[in-house]
Amino acid sequence: MLGVIGGSGFYSFFGSDARSVTVDTPYGAPAAPITVGAVGAHEVAFLPRHGVDHEYSPHTVPYRANMWALRVLGVRRIFAPCAVGSLTPALGPGAMVVPDQLVDRTRGRADTYFDSGGIHVAFADPYCPSLRAAATNLPGVVDGGTMVVVQGPRFSTRAESRWFANQGFTLVNMTGYPEAVLARELEMCYAAIALVTDLDAGIDSGTAVRTVDVFAEFQRNLVPFKKLVHEAIDQTTVERTCTHCLAHDGVRLPFELP
């Protein structure tokens, strides 16, 4: 089964023929019931990370419950659409980017399942190369970029966004971590697909980022963005062949993965 985790403004993926599944986890309930439907030859589970009515801010999303619930259902590969700000004028609103690197600037988030045992997880390349290839082979998709994940819920100051840009980061987001590392700990393939909604404050000196503008831009691009996710799923092999994301080969874990 494939998984899709919808970001801000991306709260549904199927029609009325999808079935809804409620999953409990050791980390509480996920952000919303999971809907399961078909995309071509694939069975797909969809979960809106912020809840169906955007009840969860980025720092309060139940990330561990979300990822655990998808794993319990049989999901082993995840596409993660998300809204991002751009840290370079070369990527304006409406650009669709598949990042290849991540920088964590969050704090205090529960970002591991291994609160006991001396477990270390390889994370040098945080995104699944197979899933990335399925998305980046599509027309108009920008291949690569570094996404810095900030704590939120506030947007960056101009000085912060200029600092991020000077470091060579290209995208800024609030939810890409710890989702990616939790997927790796559960040995699930994971790739982010980012929709640029704005130039960050330090890049566009004349304006400041506002929530209403971000959501409006996302809605303007929602139909082609969903189409891109569908096409990426269609490009994905039925059988999982990736070994890059099997992080625990040869390691004895303190508990069995679901």
Side-chain angles (χ1 to χ4, degrees):
M1 186 184 293
L2 293 178
V4 173
I5 303 177
S8 298
F10 197 144
Y11 308 123
S12 64
F13 196 57
F14 302 113
S16 58
D17 55 337
R19 59 187 174 95
S20 180
V21 181
T22 301
V23 182
D24 194 20
T25 82
Y27 307 96
I34 299 168
T35 53
V36 179
V39 176
H42 295 282
E43 187 177 32
V44 177
F46 174 76
L47 173 62
R49 70 169 60 85
H50 294 281
V52 293
D53 296 312
H54 206 97
E55 305 97 302
Y56 296 98
S57 289
H59 65 300
T60 64
V61 169
Y63 294 103
R64 289 196 296 183
N66 285 354
M67 306 306 283
W68 191 274
L70 289 170
R71 169 93 191 188
V72 165
L73 283 180
V75 170
R76 296 297 181 270
R77 295 176 291 177
I78 296 171
F79 285 111
C82 58
V84 299
S86 173
L87 294 167
T88 170
L91 297 174
M96 298 183 193
V97 186
V98 179
D100 62 345
Q101 276 297 318
L102 177 153
V103 173
D104 171 32
R105 292 288 301 169
T106 67
R107 59 188 182 278
R109 297 185 182 187
D111 62 355
T112 183
Y113 294 106
F114 300 118
D115 292 322
S116 63
I119 306 299
H120 304 278
V121 178
F123 202 54
D125 297 296
Y127 301 114
C128 172
S130 299
L131 291 185
R132 287 194 70 258
T136 56
N137 284 336
L138 298 171
V141 176
V142 178
D143 181 358
T146 296
M147 184 165 72
V148 55
V149 185
V150 298
Q151 176 70 1
R154 69 171 179 84
F155 295 113
S156 301
T157 66
R158 297 188 195 280
E160 287 169 334
S161 63
R162 286 194 293 267
W163 176 39
F164 296 150
N166 288 338
Q167 296 302 308
F169 310 153
T170 48
L171 306 170
V172 59
N173 166 266
M174 297 181 188
T175 57
Y177 187 91
E179 235 177 48
V181 72
L182 293 175
R184 185 64 53 85
E185 288 192 347
L186 294 178
E187 294 195 327
M188 295 192 292
C189 294
Y190 177 99
I193 304 178
L195 172 64
V196 174
T197 58
D198 59 274
L199 291 176
D200 212 42
I203 310 305
D204 184 357
S205 60
T207 62
V209 180
R210 301 190 309 160
T211 300
V212 64
D213 299 326
V214 167
F215 276 87
E217 184 63 31
F218 198 97
Q219 287 302 312
R220 277 193 289 272
N221 291 280
L222 184 57
V223 170
F225 195 40
K226 283 187 176 181
K227 181 174 181 289
L228 171 63
V229 177
H230 274 91
E231 291 172 346
I233 291 171
D234 286 336
Q235 292 288 318
T236 303
T237 59
V238 174
E239 295 297 326
R240 181 189 187 189
T241 59
C242 172
T243 58
H244 174 84
C245 301
L246 301 180
H248 306 309
D249 187 29
V251 176
R252 185 172 181 177
L253 300 180
F255 57 84
E256 285 191 19
L257 299 181

